[in-house]
Amino acid sequence: MKTLLALLALSGGSHAFAPAAVPRQNSPISTTTRNAPNTHLQMNIPTPTASGGATPEEIKSAANNEPPPSSFFELQRASVRAAQQAISDGQTLLEIEFPPLPAQVLEMDDVSAYDVAKANVNLALDFAKSFTNTEEIDGDVAVMLPDESECNIMLEDLKVGEKPYPGVQLTSLRRGEEGDTRIFKPENVFIGLMGRGSGGTVKPIDGVGMYVIVVASAQELPDVEELYDQIKNEGEEDGKKSPVIVFYNLKLDVLRGDLGAPAFPGKDFQDRFLSRVKPVYYLRTRQYSRSISQPPFILNYQGCLFRSYPGHFQTLLDTGTGRYRKVVGNDIRPALGEFKEQLTDALREEGAIAKKEEEGALFGFLRTGYKTTTWWEEEREDASLEWRT
């Protein structure tokens, strides 16, 4: 199983990041790619960079039209490039989000949460290697799991040391005092359940300029805020670059939904901290079904929301041929309901579903409902717009 996961992840082609295949008989969608960029033609065109003499306008224009990656190798290069550009622009809280395994692997019954976590750690280590000895950060890169026990299990399973590569550390957010060899630390359990901070067990690491956070839950996100509060002024105090924190494949959209529940951080955590995290490389696929008045009566369609900084958020419709067609670009990240409606409007234009006027206002309202946004997608007085721009 482990060999299969590795081979599929390394050899994932153009379908690696596409949603699961939809039966053709249920998808009478035109597969035309008019107005869509030709991915294969663009692959050999160098991406404009500041070091190559490109202007900010040229860099943004290229990012606006960048297609989703066709392999994990291409994805790693693109995510590193987007992060480098964001750091150069002064961003210090970054989000990178994409499926860590090919779609067909994620749907296998025997793929566990630990398999996904292990894939994320491997990808994060490769990402970290790209920032050692670079001008974007000062110091090493630390890939951090939530606590020491998880870190020790991962080190043993990956058969690597605490420094798997030069300039890269694999460690944890919560670390005990030197000499504390206890395996079970009950105080950490109670601190975590109460959600009242780490009790002083979260500390910066000397000589580290980038922290890559992996496999953290909503209950563990306040530890990241605690780390940020300790390092946010480091660059100003010693004249070096400010340390950077990367939220790596944490599915922040899912974790935000837990905020406010018992034993979880309150909703103010989104306003105070998570809303300041900039999505610099973001690829999330979505699948939908819709009833129609003609055979086969059920239309399955799918698309993805894609962003490569400093480009805008692209709403992309899966054409059914393993490629995506760009529907619209959004400077402000669309809410999930708005994203679905953008895909639906594209299908209306293709004639796959009825026009709004043919469907009727009442029927359209019954489909979408009164509320089409989640609480964190709404305008909130104390929240930053960084997470949406």
Tab-separated table of all heavy atoms in Angstrom, residues 34-69:
chain	number	residue	atom	x	y	z
A	34	ARG	N	-12.980	26.664	-25.159
A	34	ARG	CA	-12.819	28.002	-25.729
A	34	ARG	C	-12.448	28.996	-24.628
A	34	ARG	O	-12.921	28.886	-23.495
A	34	ARG	CB	-14.117	28.455	-26.412
A	34	ARG	CG	-15.323	28.543	-25.491
A	34	ARG	CD	-16.570	28.931	-26.281
A	34	ARG	NE	-17.718	29.086	-25.421
A	34	ARG	CZ	-18.485	28.119	-24.999
A	34	ARG	NH1	-18.190	26.872	-25.355
A	34	ARG	NH2	-19.528	28.362	-24.217
A	35	ASN	N	-11.614	29.925	-24.980
A	35	ASN	CA	-11.132	30.950	-24.053
A	35	ASN	C	-10.308	30.368	-22.907
A	35	ASN	O	-10.000	31.058	-21.962
A	35	ASN	CB	-12.299	31.746	-23.447
A	35	ASN	CG	-13.106	32.445	-24.504
A	35	ASN	OD1	-12.558	32.885	-25.508
A	35	ASN	ND2	-14.418	32.543	-24.297
A	36	ALA	N	-9.980	29.093	-22.987
A	36	ALA	CA	-9.172	28.479	-21.932
A	36	ALA	C	-7.727	28.439	-22.368
A	36	ALA	O	-7.420	28.179	-23.527
A	36	ALA	CB	-9.654	27.054	-21.645
A	37	PRO	N	-6.773	28.699	-21.472
A	37	PRO	CA	-5.370	28.619	-21.832
A	37	PRO	C	-4.970	27.195	-22.139
A	37	PRO	O	-5.452	26.254	-21.524
A	37	PRO	CB	-4.652	29.129	-20.561
A	37	PRO	CG	-5.617	28.884	-19.453
A	37	PRO	CD	-6.974	29.045	-20.053
A	38	ASN	N	-4.100	27.020	-23.110
A	38	ASN	CA	-3.599	25.694	-23.455
A	38	ASN	C	-2.472	25.334	-22.504
A	38	ASN	O	-1.372	25.851	-22.591
A	38	ASN	CB	-3.108	25.688	-24.906
A	38	ASN	CG	-2.788	24.277	-25.387
A	38	ASN	OD1	-2.163	23.503	-24.676
A	38	ASN	ND2	-3.240	23.966	-26.601
A	39	THR	N	-2.749	24.408	-21.594
A	39	THR	CA	-1.771	24.064	-20.566
A	39	THR	C	-0.487	23.539	-21.179
A	39	THR	O	0.616	23.889	-20.764
A	39	THR	CB	-2.367	23.007	-19.608
A	39	THR	OG1	-3.556	23.533	-19.059
A	39	THR	CG2	-1.389	22.667	-18.500
A	40	HIS	N	-0.628	22.681	-22.200
A	40	HIS	CA	0.563	22.055	-22.756
A	40	HIS	C	1.451	23.063	-23.469
A	40	HIS	O	2.671	22.935	-23.475
A	40	HIS	CB	0.150	20.933	-23.711
A	40	HIS	CG	-0.595	19.830	-23.019
A	40	HIS	ND1	0.034	18.915	-22.194
A	40	HIS	CD2	-1.912	19.511	-23.001
A	40	HIS	CE1	-0.860	18.063	-21.714
A	40	HIS	NE2	-2.045	18.404	-22.175
A	41	LEU	N	0.846	24.070	-24.080
A	41	LEU	CA	1.649	25.085	-24.755
A	41	LEU	C	2.349	25.986	-23.764
A	41	LEU	O	3.449	26.459	-24.013
A	41	LEU	CB	0.758	25.912	-25.688
A	41	LEU	CG	0.194	25.185	-26.918
A	41	LEU	CD1	-0.704	26.122	-27.702
A	41	LEU	CD2	1.320	24.653	-27.792
A	42	GLN	N	1.722	26.224	-22.598
A	42	GLN	CA	2.289	27.150	-21.642
A	42	GLN	C	3.368	26.527	-20.763
A	42	GLN	O	4.112	27.229	-20.114
A	42	GLN	CB	1.189	27.694	-20.741
A	42	GLN	CG	0.270	28.676	-21.450
A	42	GLN	CD	-0.610	29.400	-20.470
A	42	GLN	OE1	-0.612	29.130	-19.275
A	42	GLN	NE2	-1.382	30.350	-20.975
A	43	MET	N	3.436	25.191	-20.741
A	43	MET	CA	4.371	24.544	-19.823
A	43	MET	C	5.824	24.896	-20.121
A	43	MET	O	6.656	24.903	-19.230
A	43	MET	CB	4.176	23.026	-19.864
A	43	MET	CG	2.928	22.551	-19.144
A	43	MET	SD	2.692	20.782	-19.257
A	43	MET	CE	4.138	20.198	-18.376
A	44	ASN	N	6.151	25.190	-21.398
A	44	ASN	CA	7.529	25.482	-21.766
A	44	ASN	C	7.851	26.972	-21.737
A	44	ASN	O	8.953	27.367	-22.080
A	44	ASN	CB	7.821	24.922	-23.168
A	44	ASN	CG	7.732	23.404	-23.200
A	44	ASN	OD1	8.117	22.752	-22.239
A	44	ASN	ND2	7.239	22.863	-24.305
A	45	ILE	N	6.892	27.796	-21.341
A	45	ILE	CA	7.124	29.230	-21.270
A	45	ILE	C	7.585	29.577	-19.860
A	45	ILE	O	6.891	29.279	-18.894
A	45	ILE	CB	5.840	30.013	-21.610
A	45	ILE	CG1	5.375	29.650	-23.030
A	45	ILE	CG2	6.072	31.504	-21.478
A	45	ILE	CD1	4.069	30.287	-23.421
A	46	PRO	N	8.775	30.176	-19.708
A	46	PRO	CA	9.251	30.513	-18.351
A	46	PRO	C	8.281	31.449	-17.641
A	46	PRO	O	7.737	32.375	-18.233
A	46	PRO	CB	10.596	31.198	-18.622
A	46	PRO	CG	11.003	30.754	-19.996
A	46	PRO	CD	9.731	30.556	-20.750
A	47	THR	N	8.064	31.185	-16.362
A	47	THR	CA	7.199	32.044	-15.562
A	47	THR	C	7.909	33.356	-15.260
A	47	THR	O	9.063	33.344	-14.806
A	47	THR	CB	6.830	31.348	-14.244
A	47	THR	OG1	6.191	30.105	-14.547
A	47	THR	CG2	5.896	32.206	-13.414
A	48	PRO	N	7.290	34.506	-15.514
A	48	PRO	CA	7.942	35.785	-15.224
A	48	PRO	C	8.266	35.911	-13.735
A	48	PRO	O	7.450	35.587	-12.875
A	48	PRO	CB	6.887	36.816	-15.649
A	48	PRO	CG	5.977	36.091	-16.582
A	48	PRO	CD	5.955	34.680	-16.105
A	49	THR	N	9.468	36.365	-13.450
A	49	THR	CA	9.893	36.576	-12.067
A	49	THR	C	10.571	37.937	-11.955
A	49	THR	O	11.061	38.499	-12.943
A	49	THR	CB	10.886	35.490	-11.610
A	49	THR	OG1	12.053	35.517	-12.455
A	49	THR	CG2	10.256	34.108	-11.684
A	50	ALA	N	10.605	38.457	-10.718
A	50	ALA	CA	11.269	39.740	-10.486
A	50	ALA	C	12.762	39.635	-10.775
A	50	ALA	O	13.365	40.556	-11.321
A	50	ALA	CB	11.025	40.191	-9.047
A	51	SER	N	13.350	38.487	-10.402
A	51	SER	CA	14.784	38.310	-10.655
A	51	SER	C	15.089	38.246	-12.142
A	51	SER	O	16.208	38.534	-12.575
A	51	SER	CB	15.289	37.040	-9.965
A	51	SER	OG	14.591	35.898	-10.448
A	52	GLY	N	14.104	37.866	-12.941
A	52	GLY	CA	14.282	37.813	-14.388
A	52	GLY	C	13.955	39.118	-15.086
A	52	GLY	O	13.976	39.183	-16.315
A	53	GLY	N	13.620	40.146	-14.296
A	53	GLY	CA	13.366	41.464	-14.865
A	53	GLY	C	11.910	41.757	-15.149
A	53	GLY	O	11.597	42.812	-15.727
A	54	ALA	N	11.007	40.881	-14.744
A	54	ALA	CA	9.578	41.112	-14.995
A	54	ALA	C	9.036	42.187	-14.058
A	54	ALA	O	9.477	42.320	-12.910
A	54	ALA	CB	8.801	39.810	-14.816
A	55	THR	N	8.079	42.941	-14.532
A	55	THR	CA	7.435	43.964	-13.708
A	55	THR	C	6.363	43.310	-12.826
A	55	THR	O	5.895	42.203	-13.127
A	55	THR	CB	6.774	45.031	-14.592
A	55	THR	OG1	5.712	44.419	-15.347
A	55	THR	CG2	7.795	45.644	-15.545
A	56	PRO	N	5.958	43.976	-11.742
A	56	PRO	CA	4.868	43.420	-10.912
A	56	PRO	C	3.603	43.145	-11.712
A	56	PRO	O	2.894	42.171	-11.449
A	56	PRO	CB	4.651	44.512	-9.863
A	56	PRO	CG	5.968	45.208	-9.751
A	56	PRO	CD	6.528	45.191	-11.145
A	57	GLU	N	3.306	44.007	-12.696
A	57	GLU	CA	2.109	43.801	-13.517
A	57	GLU	C	2.231	42.544	-14.354
A	57	GLU	O	1.255	41.790	-14.515
A	57	GLU	CB	1.884	45.014	-14.427
A	57	GLU	CG	1.480	46.299	-13.712
A	57	GLU	CD	2.665	46.952	-12.990
A	57	GLU	OE1	3.827	46.613	-13.312
A	57	GLU	OE2	2.409	47.799	-12.113
A	58	GLU	N	3.418	42.277	-14.894
A	58	GLU	CA	3.632	41.062	-15.693
A	58	GLU	C	3.550	39.818	-14.827
A	58	GLU	O	2.997	38.789	-15.249
A	58	GLU	CB	4.994	41.138	-16.395
A	58	GLU	CG	5.064	42.179	-17.497
A	58	GLU	CD	6.472	42.368	-18.035
A	58	GLU	OE1	7.447	42.079	-17.290
A	58	GLU	OE2	6.608	42.796	-19.201
A	59	ILE	N	4.087	39.896	-13.615
A	59	ILE	CA	4.037	38.750	-12.705
A	59	ILE	C	2.592	38.439	-12.331
A	59	ILE	O	2.166	37.274	-12.337
A	59	ILE	CB	4.878	39.028	-11.446
A	59	ILE	CG1	6.360	39.159	-11.828
A	59	ILE	CG2	4.690	37.935	-10.402
A	59	ILE	CD1	7.253	39.593	-10.683
A	60	LYS	N	1.820	39.474	-12.010
A	60	LYS	CA	0.416	39.261	-11.633
A	60	LYS	C	-0.398	38.746	-12.810
A	60	LYS	O	-1.244	37.849	-12.645
A	60	LYS	CB	-0.189	40.556	-11.095
A	60	LYS	CG	-1.655	40.406	-10.692
A	60	LYS	CD	-2.178	41.615	-9.963
A	60	LYS	CE	-3.675	41.487	-9.683
A	60	LYS	NZ	-4.018	40.254	-8.946
A	61	SER	N	-0.169	39.272	-13.997
A	61	SER	CA	-0.904	38.824	-15.170
A	61	SER	C	-0.637	37.352	-15.450
A	61	SER	O	-1.561	36.590	-15.776
A	61	SER	CB	-0.516	39.668	-16.384
A	61	SER	OG	-1.163	39.205	-17.554
A	62	ALA	N	0.614	36.939	-15.305
A	62	ALA	CA	0.947	35.526	-15.524
A	62	ALA	C	0.288	34.648	-14.472
A	62	ALA	O	-0.225	33.567	-14.783
A	62	ALA	CB	2.467	35.341	-15.500
A	63	ALA	N	0.281	35.119	-13.212
A	63	ALA	CA	-0.344	34.341	-12.142
A	63	ALA	C	-1.855	34.252	-12.333
A	63	ALA	O	-2.474	33.235	-11.992
A	63	ALA	CB	-0.018	34.956	-10.784
A	64	ASN	N	-2.465	35.317	-12.865
A	64	ASN	CA	-3.907	35.300	-13.116
A	64	ASN	C	-4.308	34.215	-14.104
A	64	ASN	O	-5.449	33.725	-14.076
A	64	ASN	CB	-4.370	36.653	-13.656
A	64	ASN	CG	-4.439	37.725	-12.583
A	64	ASN	OD1	-4.446	37.424	-11.397
A	64	ASN	ND2	-4.478	38.976	-13.005
A	65	ASN	N	-3.412	33.856	-15.001
A	65	ASN	CA	-3.717	32.887	-16.045
A	65	ASN	C	-2.993	31.563	-15.855
A	65	ASN	O	-3.007	30.713	-16.754
A	65	ASN	CB	-3.361	33.470	-17.421
A	65	ASN	CG	-4.208	34.678	-17.782
A	65	ASN	OD1	-5.407	34.569	-18.007
A	65	ASN	ND2	-3.590	35.855	-17.808
A	66	GLU	N	-2.381	31.373	-14.702
A	66	GLU	CA	-1.663	30.126	-14.451
A	66	GLU	C	-2.651	28.972	-14.310
A	66	GLU	O	-3.612	29.058	-13.550
A	66	GLU	CB	-0.833	30.251	-13.174
A	66	GLU	CG	-0.024	29.015	-12.844
A	66	GLU	CD	0.837	29.207	-11.607
A	66	GLU	OE1	1.256	30.360	-11.354
A	66	GLU	OE2	1.086	28.225	-10.891
A	67	PRO	N	-2.434	27.869	-15.046
A	67	PRO	CA	-3.341	26.728	-14.922
A	67	PRO	C	-2.989	25.887	-13.699
A	67	PRO	O	-1.884	25.991	-13.159
A	67	PRO	CB	-3.083	25.942	-16.214
A	67	PRO	CG	-1.645	26.241	-16.529
A	67	PRO	CD	-1.394	27.659	-16.074
A	68	PRO	N	-3.911	25.052	-13.227
A	68	PRO	CA	-3.580	24.140	-12.130
A	68	PRO	C	-2.430	23.221	-12.533
A	68	PRO	O	-2.221	22.959	-13.717
A	68	PRO	CB	-4.880	23.351	-11.919
A	68	PRO	CG	-5.946	24.190	-12.509
A	68	PRO	CD	-5.310	24.910	-13.661
A	69	PRO	N	-1.680	22.726	-11.564
A	69	PRO	CA	-0.525	21.877	-11.893
A	69	PRO	C	-0.961	20.539	-12.464
A	69	PRO	O	-2.040	20.034	-12.153
A	69	PRO	CB	0.174	21.703	-10.539
A	69	PRO	CG	-0.935	21.841	-9.534
A	69	PRO	CD	-1.858	22.871	-10.108
